[in-house]
Amino acid sequence: MGFYVTQRMIRQFARPVCFQLSVRYFSVTDRQNTRLAEVGKLELPKAQGTYETGQLFLHRVFGYRGVILFPWLARVYDRDLPAQSKNGQQAEAITAAPAPPSGETPPNAGKEVQKKTHTFYQVLIDQRDCPYIRAQTEAVTFLGNQESSRSLYAIPGLDYVAHEDILPYSSGEQHPLQHELFDKFLAHQPDKDPPFVAQDTLRAWQKKNHPWLELSDVHKETTEGIRVTVIPFYMGCRETPAASVYWWRYCIRLENLGELSVQLRERHWRIFSLSGTLETVRGRGVVGQEPVLSPRLPAFQYSSHVSLQAPSGHMWGTFRMEREDGHMFDCRIPPFSLESKPDDNAAAGGGAPTQDDNSSPGTGTPPSSSSSDPPPAGGPSAA
C-alpha cells in the first residue's frame, strides 16, 4: 500500500499524519507537479529513546523532509498541565515571571509551572521543500564575528524539531536530501542504520557553536484552542560606547487545535529588563504577516530578536486573534526568561563551514547565509 505525498500536498500538509504499519512508501513530485517519485519507506516512530544522527524524517506538522544532526534535552514548561505529578507528589517546577517593580503583572505571575525534560533535534531541511512550508527557514541566527559588527547572520534550512514531530523514513539514495551542508556534515555508510553518520566537521561545528545553538527552555500555553510555544536562545553580548548590549532570539510556533479558522491580527509584547525598564511593543501581525490558522493549515512558526542593556529580563504578551465567526480574543504568550550566559568567544559568531574550509568548521559564514542590521542597540524589537 502506498502513501503518496505530492508537492501540492506538502504545501497543504499541516495535520498530524496517522498511518498503518502497512503504509510503507511515500513519494513527492517535482516542482511541475507532473510525476511521483518514490522517496523511501516510512518507519514506525519511536515512542521511547532518541533518533540517531543521520535519520531521515518527514515533519509531522509542516510536512518537509529533513535529516537529524544531533539531539538537545530541553526543559519544557507547559502551563496547560497541572503542577502535580501522577503519583500526587509536587513535580519539579518554576515560578512564572515575577511582577516587575513597575507593578505590571505578567499572566500567571507566581504560578508554579511543571517542568518536563523533552528531546528536540537540530535538523537540516530539504531545500526543495523550503518554499512550501509555513515556517521561516532562516530562523537560526547568530551575531557577527567582530565585536564591532552590528550584523545578524542566518543559516538557511536549520531547524529545531520536537521528538513527537519526527516521522522517520529510510531511503536507498546516497544523496536523499538537498542541502549545501548535507555532504559536509554527514557521510554515507550503507552498512549503518541509519546509513548516514556524522563527520568530524559536524562534531567540531557543534562544539564550537554550541553556545548560540543550545536549546534549553521551551514554554507552552493554550488559549481558546490556540497553542503558543516559545523557545528563547541567548546569542551573546556586544559592547558599545554607551553600554553592553545582550541579544536573544526567540522562536514562536502557533497551532490551532480547534475546528474553526483563526487569523492573527495584532501582537502586544511587554519586555522587562533587569535594569528596571518595562517596554511595550504593539503592531499588526507578526514578521509582516497576519497568518490564518485553519483546520487544513493549522500551524505557523517564526523567529524574532530582542536586545537589552542588562544581562537578563522577561518577556510576555498576547496575540489578538479573530475567529472566522467574528469572535475576537487575546491569545496569551507564556512568560519566559531572557537569561545570559558567561562570555564565550564561540557565542559571538561562527556559522557553518565555508566551502574552502572543511577542516575548520565554524570559521566564517556559509556562502548562502544572509545578514541584516539588528534593531538599535539596547532597544527591544519584538515581532
Side-chain angles (χ1 to χ4, degrees):
M1 179 179 180
F3 172 48
Y4 297 100
V5 180
T6 65
Q7 199 69 283
R8 178 175 297 178
M9 291 169 68
I10 287 178
R11 294 195 295 269
Q12 298 175 349
F13 187 54
R15 278 284 188 192
V17 175
C18 298
F19 56 91
Q20 303 295 325
L21 292 179
S22 59
V23 177
R24 300 180 58 201
Y25 299 96
F26 67 91
S27 302
V28 297
T29 69
D30 59 14
R31 293 195 177 192
Q32 285 69 41
N33 204 23
T34 58
R35 65 181 179 85
L36 291 173
E38 184 177 301
V39 174
K41 293 182 180 180
L42 283 173
E43 298 176 349
L44 187 65
K46 289 185 177 182
Q48 303 292 332
T50 60
Y51 294 104
E52 300 292 331
T53 294
Q55 176 64 62
L56 301 171
F57 71 93
L58 186 72
H59 197 291
R60 182 183 66 92
V61 174
F62 294 111
Y64 64 72
R65 291 163 287 179
V67 64
I68 290 173
L69 297 181
F70 45 82
W72 295 105
L73 279 179
R75 299 181 294 265
V76 179
Y77 300 99
D78 192 340
R79 284 161 175 79
D80 300 329
L81 298 178
Q84 296 292 326
S85 61
K86 290 184 178 179
N87 60 9
Q89 300 297 317
Q90 185 70 28
E92 187 173 2
I94 62 167
T95 301
S102 66
E104 170 97 12
T105 303
N108 298 324
K111 175 185 175 182
E112 290 288 306
V113 182
Q114 181 176 337
K115 179 188 79 172
K116 287 187 173 183
T117 301
H118 195 69
T119 302
F120 284 72
Y121 299 94
Q122 193 90 60
V123 308
L124 293 180
I125 303 173
D126 194 309
Q127 292 177 333
R128 293 168 293 185
D129 298 339
C130 287
Y132 307 111
I133 60 178
R134 301 187 68 194
Q136 288 175 303
T137 56
E138 294 189 348
V140 178
T141 55
F142 59 95
L143 297 175
N145 285 307
Q146 303 300 320
E147 289 296 322
S148 60
S149 171
R150 295 189 63 252
S151 293
L152 293 175
Y153 295 86
I155 298 182
L158 204 63
D159 198 7
Y160 297 83
V161 183
H163 181 86
E164 66 271 15
D165 287 338
I166 298 290
L167 292 177
Y169 74 91
S170 60
S171 171
E173 296 183 30
Q174 189 170 346
H175 302 282
L177 197 81
Q178 290 188 15
H179 192 287
E180 63 179 311
L181 299 178
F182 185 85
D183 290 332
K184 298 179 186 297
F185 284 165
L186 301 168
H188 184 246
Q189 293 190 10
D191 58 327
K192 301 290 186 179
D193 184 21
F196 302 97
V197 298
Q199 298 198 61
D200 290 342
T201 308
L202 174 59
R203 288 186 283 266
W205 181 80
Q206 178 187 5
K207 181 179 180 180
K208 180 177 179 63
N209 297 290
H210 180 279
W212 59 269
L213 287 173
E214 182 180 10
L215 180 156
S216 57
D217 291 343
V218 178
H219 300 266
K220 296 184 177 185
E221 187 167 4
T222 303
T223 306
E224 296 197 31
I226 305 299
R227 178 181 293 159
V228 177
T229 301
V230 183
I231 308 177
F233 300 86
Y234 178 61
M235 298 176 65
C237 179
R238 280 287 178 267
E239 299 293 336
T240 69
S244 297
V245 180
Y246 298 83
W247 282 88
W248 291 265
R249 75 178 186 273
Y250 53 92
C251 177
I252 292 187
R253 174 166 146 183
L254 298 101
E255 188 169 4
N256 185 359
L257 307 179
E259 298 299 325
L260 296 179
S261 295
V262 177
Q263 186 167 13
L264 191 159
R265 293 298 191 185
E266 299 175 359
R267 68 186 186 277
H268 178 200
W269 283 103
R270 302 291 273 171
I271 306 169
F272 172 67
S273 170
L274 186 63
S275 62
T277 62
L278 180 64
E279 303 285 346
T280 298
V281 178
R282 293 180 180 270
R284 295 287 298 181
V286 290
V287 292
Q289 301 184 51
E290 296 182 23
V292 175
L293 310 177
S294 66
R296 184 172 60 87
L297 296 170
F300 181 80
Q301 181 173 296
Y302 76 95
S303 287
S304 190
H305 305 86
V306 64
S307 60
L308 302 176
Q309 292 184 359
S312 64
H314 287 93
M315 288 181 65
W316 68 95
T318 56
F319 293 124
R320 187 67 171 169
M321 313 297 289
E322 181 179 4
R323 221 163 48 198
E324 64 177 88
D325 61 5
H327 174 61
M328 303 284 290
F329 63 96
D330 288 327
C331 179
R332 292 185 298 276
I333 305 170
F336 57 96
S337 297
L338 302 172
E339 300 292 345
S340 62
K341 302 175 185 177
D343 287 340
D344 189 321
N345 290 334
T354 64
Q355 292 182 349
D356 298 327
D357 186 14
N358 288 338
S359 62
S360 302
T363 57
T365 306
S368 63
S369 291
S370 60
S371 64
S372 60
D373 286 335
S381 172

